[in-house]
Amino acid sequence: MQLMSPRPAKADSQPGCFPSSLRPMRILVTGGAGFLGSHLCDRLISDGHDVICLDNLFTGRKDNIVHLLSNPHFEFMRHDVVDPFKVEVDQIFNLACPASPPHYQYNPIKTTKTSVMGAINCLGLAKRVKARVFQASTSEVYGDPQEHPQSETYWGHVNPVGLRSCYDEGKRCAETLFFDYHRENRVDIRVARIFNTYGPRMLPNDGRVVSNFIVQALKGEDLTVYGDGMQTRSFCFVGDLIEAFCRFMKQTETVGPLNLGNPDEFTMLQLAELTVKLVGGKSKIVHKPLPSDDPKQRRPDISLARRTLKWKPAVALDEGLKRTIAYFRGRV
Ligand code: NAD
Ligand code: UDP
């Protein structure tokens, strides 16, 4: 992997021309060709930054970033975060990791390596180039939670040896590494615990519930509800989440961990019924076995994010579903 030369100062980035919050930066986004990563790249480019997108395209697609490839402020690097990389950057967003249960369970040992080695490589780089570094952690660190809603002070209820453990424990270990680099090496970290987020650019075969239900309803197939469908999740629209990422990265009041998500909570049966209503058609609901260790309830306490970021989600589930359905129409 090449070492990029330090960025020459731009005339328009001189003090006095730009408020510091608007100064263009060079920003690395790992996992930048994925669902969340590609929306983040779009946002950073439109804010005037230079973006390096590093991705091995395991669950990401060039299609998600094809509109950015000819932009001189955007660079794509096909690379695996498990292997070290060197770039001169001002900030790092570490999003590289499959997020859907079927995808992260496809090669569970690789999933743990991606979380742990990816974190070590991003933190080592951040330490060397003195970059602020963001970790995309997850509500899965709370496991099958016994505290509801989940606040950042809850330590979680995680099975260390189950099918979801490669993801949950990998992400927990990554958080540990972030906080140890922060304490030991003064690395400037931001750790976000992301709750279920959905929107355009999810893969049609992603396996997560929102895209599964929408694709099934659009094809006129039955919607597959796992178990009795009474388990709950709280769904955040992607645009709301990306706004929170940017605010979190900009502020200096907290390094996290910080819950980011939409606290409106739904059962999977409610989600299935709403999806059928919005898509139209005659799809029915069928029940399939519940995967092991499937959390029974999940809802973020976002008081800390509201206070420190002056942020709350703006897009309600029915509106976000309509926008996501519009994206999938014609693609399935
Ligand atoms: P995604 O699968 O669409 O994106 C992950 C990206 O990482 C893909 O582009 C993939 O190709 C890339 N990747 C995977 N392994 C890699 C490796 N070893 N080296 C380089 N690139 C690699 O998933 P997403 O929903 O966009 O999730 C992005 C991040 O946010 C993940 O870290 C995920 O754990 C976290 N997260 C997402 C959600 C959510 O609801 N979307 C919730 C909690 C946490
Ligand atoms: N789920 C479902 N049908 C599907 C896919 C998922 O009922 O086709 C359920 C799943 O069992 C879980 C919830 O929807 O209870 C959310 O699953 P997802 O994989 O989207 O995310 P996670 O379990 O990681 O929160």
Side-chain angles (χ1 to χ4, degrees):
M1 195 58 44
Q2 85 270 27
L3 181 66
M4 296 178 68
S5 55
R7 181 187 205 194
K10 286 187 178 172
D12 60 3
S13 69
Q14 296 305 307
C17 294
F18 255 108
S20 60
S21 60
L22 296 180
R23 195 176 303 141
M25 287 182 285
R26 179 177 280 163
I27 303 178
L28 172 67
V29 180
T30 78
F35 161 51
L36 297 181
S38 62
H39 286 281
L40 178 62
C41 289
D42 282 348
R43 168 64 187 266
L44 296 174
I45 288 282
S46 85
D47 284 353
H49 301 296
D50 279 6
V51 172
I52 301 168
C53 162
L54 182 156
D55 202 299
N56 70 352
L57 300 182
F58 174 49
T59 52
R61 292 178 295 182
K62 271 201 179 166
D63 275 356
N64 287 342
I65 50 165
V66 72
H67 57 287
L68 295 173
L69 290 175
S70 62
N71 187 320
H73 296 285
F74 182 82
E75 222 175 304
F76 174 66
M77 264 186 203
R78 189 167 184 150
H79 186 76
D80 196 308
V81 281
V82 165
D83 301 319
F85 39 91
K86 288 181 180 168
V87 284
E88 298 293 332
V89 287
D90 305 300
Q91 288 191 348
I92 303 167
F93 285 86
N94 183 33
L95 273 63
C97 186
S100 142
H103 289 148
Y104 70 63
Q105 289 168 23
Y106 173 76
N107 185 346
I109 297 168
K110 176 67 193 252
T111 298
T112 303
K113 275 189 183 171
T114 294
S115 275
V116 175
M117 298 305 299
I120 289 172
N121 287 329
C122 285
L123 286 160
L125 177 64
K127 179 182 165 192
R128 193 176 64 78
V129 301
K130 297 191 172 35
R132 184 169 291 174
V133 57
F134 170 103
Q135 168 65 2
S137 190
T138 168
S139 52
E140 287 285 329
V141 301
Y142 301 122
D144 188 6
Q146 297 187 317
E147 185 178 298
H148 193 74
Q150 294 79 53
S151 67
E152 292 86 352
T153 50
Y154 179 51
W155 288 356
H157 181 235
V158 178
N159 176 358
V161 294
L163 296 179
R164 295 175 86 100
S165 312
C166 58
Y167 184 74
D168 300 9
E169 297 290 17
K171 290 284 188 179
R172 285 170 68 96
C173 182
E175 285 200 9
T176 306
L177 285 160
F178 267 71
F179 278 87
D180 282 332
Y181 268 79
H182 180 59
R183 280 185 290 257
E184 297 289 310
N185 301 115
R186 308 178 66 83
V187 172
D188 189 12
I189 62 164
R190 299 288 182 276
V191 175
R193 292 182 178 158
I194 304 164
F195 284 65
N196 298 64
T197 301
Y198 68 98
R201 299 192 193 149
M202 295 184 89
L203 289 172
N205 66 347
D206 181 273
R208 283 177 277 188
V209 68
V210 173
S211 44
N212 270 12
F213 284 177
I214 291 177
V215 169
Q216 289 163 345
L218 286 171
K219 287 180 167 173
E221 295 171 356
D222 293 338
L223 272 61
T224 53
V225 168
Y226 301 160
D228 62 8
M230 295 311 289
Q231 69 272 34
T232 68
R233 295 292 186 275
S234 307
F235 297 101
C236 186
F237 188 67
V238 60
D240 283 335
L241 188 79
I242 299 300
E243 177 62 32
F245 281 11
C246 295
R247 289 184 187 218
F248 185 28
M249 205 53 165
K250 213 174 273 178
Q251 60 77 49
T252 50
E253 200 180 323
T254 181
V255 298
L258 183 70
N259 286 344
L260 296 179
N262 187 322
D264 293 344
E265 185 180 1
F266 297 85
T267 67
M268 295 310 99
L269 270 179
Q270 287 174 318
L271 177 70
E273 283 158 6
L274 181 57
T275 307
V276 173
K277 189 178 125 199
L278 294 176
V279 170
K282 295 194 170 56
S283 297
K284 300 206 172 22
I285 288 168
V286 293
H287 291 267
K288 298 260 170 146
L290 190 68
S292 68
D293 294 333
D294 198 284
K296 284 180 259 326
Q297 54 182 359
R298 183 181 291 153
R299 177 185 180 194
D301 176 341
I302 58 162
S303 323
L304 184 60
R306 277 175 181 261
R307 204 168 57 246
T308 53
L309 310 187
K310 313 275 178 292
W311 166 89
K312 63 178 186 303
V315 181
L317 183 62
D318 56 350
E319 173 58 28
L321 283 179
K322 281 183 199 160
R323 296 190 205 173
T324 312
I325 291 164
Y327 167 82
F328 277 112
R329 253 185 227 288
R331 284 186 168 82
V332 296

